[in-house]
Amino acid sequence: HCRLNASAQPEQFVEIGEVLANEKGIKAGDRVRVSSKRGHIDAVAVVTKRIRPLQVNNQTVHQIGIPLHWGFTGATRHGYLTNTLVPFLGDGNTQTPESKSFLVKVEKL
């Protein structure tokens, strides 16, 4: 949340691959809502070539990237905690939170 980073990305964003963005009619800079059964966040879409769809059991699976924490203080516009979306689950074997990956819906606002 320093001024240098805030000048490049002044508000909360969601990184979306080009394929998913085209399917959803989302362009770079559009506002999107990312929702799960637990809640939702609103953010700016950053459309990128870096995130590509995966093929899992002959099905296309899309991924998105969301910064884990977005500031409620600092040089940027205030944002939402990504934890709003995540379930409270933990892996019993590794004692690692399973909230690193979860299902969400992405829609253009």
Side-chain angles (χ1 to χ4, degrees):
H1 297 102
C2 66
R3 291 184 195 273
L4 180 60
N5 290 340
S7 65
Q9 205 62 46
E11 61 184 300
Q12 188 170 24
F13 64 93
V14 176
E15 193 170 358
I16 302 171
E18 289 179 323
V19 175
L20 179 60
N22 286 336
E23 287 179 14
K24 299 281 187 176
I26 297 170
K27 305 261 187 272
D30 285 348
R31 296 209 49 88
V32 295
R33 175 165 288 162
V34 180
S35 57
S36 69
K37 289 186 175 186
R38 187 162 179 249
H40 74 271
I41 63 170
D42 297 338
V44 173
V46 173
V47 178
T48 178
K49 295 177 189 238
R50 294 186 328 152
I51 299 180
R52 296 184 181 129
L54 303 172
Q55 291 297 316
V56 179
N57 290 332
N58 296 318
Q59 291 184 336
T60 301
V61 176
H62 293 283
Q63 302 178 78
I64 63 170
I66 308 171
L68 183 57
H69 296 290
W70 195 263
F72 53 90
T73 63
T76 62
R77 291 186 186 167
H78 298 196
Y80 301 88
L81 292 176
T82 304
N83 290 342
T84 302
L85 302 170
V86 301
F88 295 116
L89 297 173
D91 184 318
N93 293 323
T94 64
Q95 304 301 311
T96 302
E98 290 184 1
S99 56
K100 305 274 190 234
S101 178
F102 47 91
L103 295 174
V104 294
K105 176 182 178 183
V106 178
E107 56 192 326
K108 183 177 174 178
L109 292 177

